[in-house]
Amino acid sequence: MRRNVVLLGAGVMGQGLARHFHRAEFQVAVVDKSPVALERMKHSLPELTIAQDLTELSDEWKSPDLVIEAIPEILALKADLLARAEAFFSPHVLIASNTSGLTTADLCRDMRHPERLAIAHFFNPADVIPVVELVASAQMPAERLQQLADLLRASGKEPAVLRRELPGFVANRIQHAMMRECLHLLDQGVADAETIDSIVRWSLGVRMAFTGPFAQRDLNGLDTHLNIAHYLYPELSAARTPSEILQAKVAEGALGRKSGAGFYKWDQTTLARAKAAEAALEALIRQETQGASGVAQQGEQD
Ligand code: NAD
């Protein structure tokens, strides 16, 4: 029998999730209050079931293998929809939130059965990036989270279970620590965005495609890392508020690709180049996740 999943939200993440589960041969239903978002989804994947509200789903959708919430990162919206989802779906159905960093304790505040809630943090594009960070609510039994991990692995993902939850989980904490320093370098006029991108891309970036930070440090030597850490840590940004450059960009509407400009200008040429790079990344990920371990392929690096 085909597995099935209900996606709540047909935005950036909902679209990627729909492509992922469709490719994994799940039956997919998508609920979004925006007819435009649903139309876009139906246009790219005509086989999907779509609905503007949970109550429009037929009874056969009341017991899916999984429900994933992917609506905007606004706690009040999410808490309300999760409580409605709990009342709509059969009691045994597991509900996962794709929040970027909110905690289950906050998300389940209006739920009567928080043991049904977990976080399944997919990365964008959700049909390409393998890892999904998983966090159980305090009330969820370990075996239920294991069921979720097994289901996602069966769909082709690499679930990573966190032992306890904290805001931002693992990846967003690391991403924001790195971006705080990148923006600090930019604020200080040390280099422009293009130069910083080039340095990161062709040093840390390429090797991180094949090895994690700890394995990479083992390769370098922990004594060397410690010597550097002693003098460098006091020099690094410890800013408690977002950088001025970032705040100014957002204030002027330079939001990145979606507005045509961010740190770069996005026109047809630069967009085509970025899309070609993304296609190459997707091919690399598929080759790596279907073939040999990446760590085994690392060479001598510094
Ligand atoms: P988005 O704004 O692109 O899409 C959200 C969709 O939810 C919209 O189509 C909207 O119409 C719909 N929606 C709003 N309220 C609704 C409701 N009550 N019921 C049904 N549909 C509703 O957002 P996104 O970028 O897809 O992000 C979704 C979630 O995923 C957020 O929690 C975000 O933090 C997280 N996330 C985003 C990314 C990313 O790179 N965009 C990556 C990882 C996680």
Side-chain angles (χ1 to χ4, degrees), residues 205-212 284 288 293-298 301:
V206 279
R207 65 189 187 191
M208 290 273 172
F210 293 96
T211 183
L284 176 68
E288 282 299 306
S293 144
V295 174
Q297 296 181 15
Q298 72 193 21
Q301 304 160 13

Side-chain angles (χ1 to χ4, degrees), residues 59-77:
D59 282 352
E60 61 176 314
W61 282 103
K62 286 204 164 181
S63 295
D65 293 288
L66 179 62
V67 174
I68 304 176
E69 169 276 311
I71 66 169
E73 191 80 345
I74 299 169
L75 178 59
L77 279 185

Side-chain angles (χ1 to χ4, degrees), residues 35 40 49 92 109 117 125 143 151 159 164 177 182 209 238 252-253 260 268 282-283 286 292 298 300:
R40 189 177 46 214
T49 297
H92 67 276
R109 67 185 185 189
L117 181 72
E143 50 291 4
L151 184 74
R164 72 179 182 88
C182 289
E252 75 194 31
Q268 277 189 343
E282 181 168 358
R286 296 216 182 282
Q298 72 193 21
E300 287 298 308

Side-chain angles (χ1 to χ4, degrees), residues 13-277:
M13 293 306 288
Q15 289 172 56
L17 289 168
R19 287 193 297 273
H20 168 69
F21 285 105
H22 178 68
R23 188 185 288 150
E25 300 192 344
F26 280 54
Q27 284 183 297
V28 182
V30 186
V31 180
D32 195 299
K33 62 182 191 178
S34 156
V36 176
L38 288 176
E39 195 46 51
R40 189 177 46 214
M41 191 74 113
K42 193 77 180 164
H43 183 72
S44 61
L45 292 172
E47 304 88 339
L48 301 191
T49 297
I50 56 170
Q52 259 186 274
D53 190 80
L54 280 174
T55 53
E56 289 176 17
L57 289 177
S58 61
D59 282 352
E60 61 176 314
W61 282 103
K62 286 204 164 181
S63 295
D65 293 288
L66 179 62
V67 174
I68 304 176
E69 169 276 311
I71 66 169
E73 191 80 345
I74 299 169
L75 178 59
L77 279 185
K78 283 187 188 287
D80 175 65
L81 184 61
L82 289 167
R84 292 212 305 123
E86 169 189 60
F88 179 81
F89 294 105
S90 305
H92 67 276
V93 174
L94 215 145
I95 302 171
S97 170
N98 185 45
T99 175
S100 295
L102 297 169
T103 61
T104 54
D106 286 332
L107 290 167
C108 72
R109 67 185 185 189
D110 297 332
M111 291 176 72
R112 295 176 58 200
H113 295 283
E115 71 276 9
R116 298 176 67 178
L117 181 72
I119 283 159
H121 180 220
F122 293 81
F123 292 78
N124 186 20
D127 54 330
V128 174
I129 306 299
V131 155
V132 186
E133 291 178 305
L134 295 186
V135 190
S137 64
Q139 298 83 351
M140 176 179 274
E143 50 291 4
R144 289 211 83 186
L145 192 70
Q146 191 54 48
Q147 281 169 8
L148 175 59
D150 291 344
L151 184 74
L152 294 177
R153 196 171 291 107
S155 82
K157 289 293 178 197
E158 296 278 342
V161 176
L162 274 56
R163 292 200 194 121
R164 72 179 182 88
E165 78 176 349
L166 73 181
F169 317 127
V170 171
N172 265 332
R173 293 181 81 91
I174 295 171
Q175 177 158 251
H176 280 263
M178 184 188 78
M179 277 313 298
R180 178 165 63 180
E181 188 57 35
C182 289
L183 288 157
H184 175 66
L185 293 169
L186 204 58
D187 275 341
Q188 298 292 306
V190 174
D192 60 19
E194 205 170 347
T195 306
I196 297 172
D197 270 2
S198 175
I199 293 168
V200 173
R201 183 178 168 204
W202 292 113
S203 62
L204 311 179
V206 279
R207 65 189 187 191
M208 290 273 172
F210 293 96
T211 183
F214 289 111
Q216 207 289 321
R217 292 292 87 184
D218 268 0
L219 190 71
N220 266 61
L222 302 190
D223 49 343
T224 305
H225 187 86
L226 179 63
N227 286 337
I228 300 168
H230 272 309
Y231 68 74
L232 199 53
Y233 279 20
E235 302 292 326
L236 299 177
S237 171
R240 307 291 296 175
T241 52
S243 92
E244 283 174 21
I245 289 184
L246 180 62
Q247 298 202 48
K249 291 246 178 237
V250 173
E252 75 194 31
L255 306 182
R257 277 206 228 179
K258 61 185 169 188
S259 70
F263 292 109
Y264 295 89
K265 293 240 175 311
W266 292 102
D267 55 25
Q268 277 189 343
T269 313
T270 47
L271 268 180
R273 210 177 295 143
K275 285 193 191 306

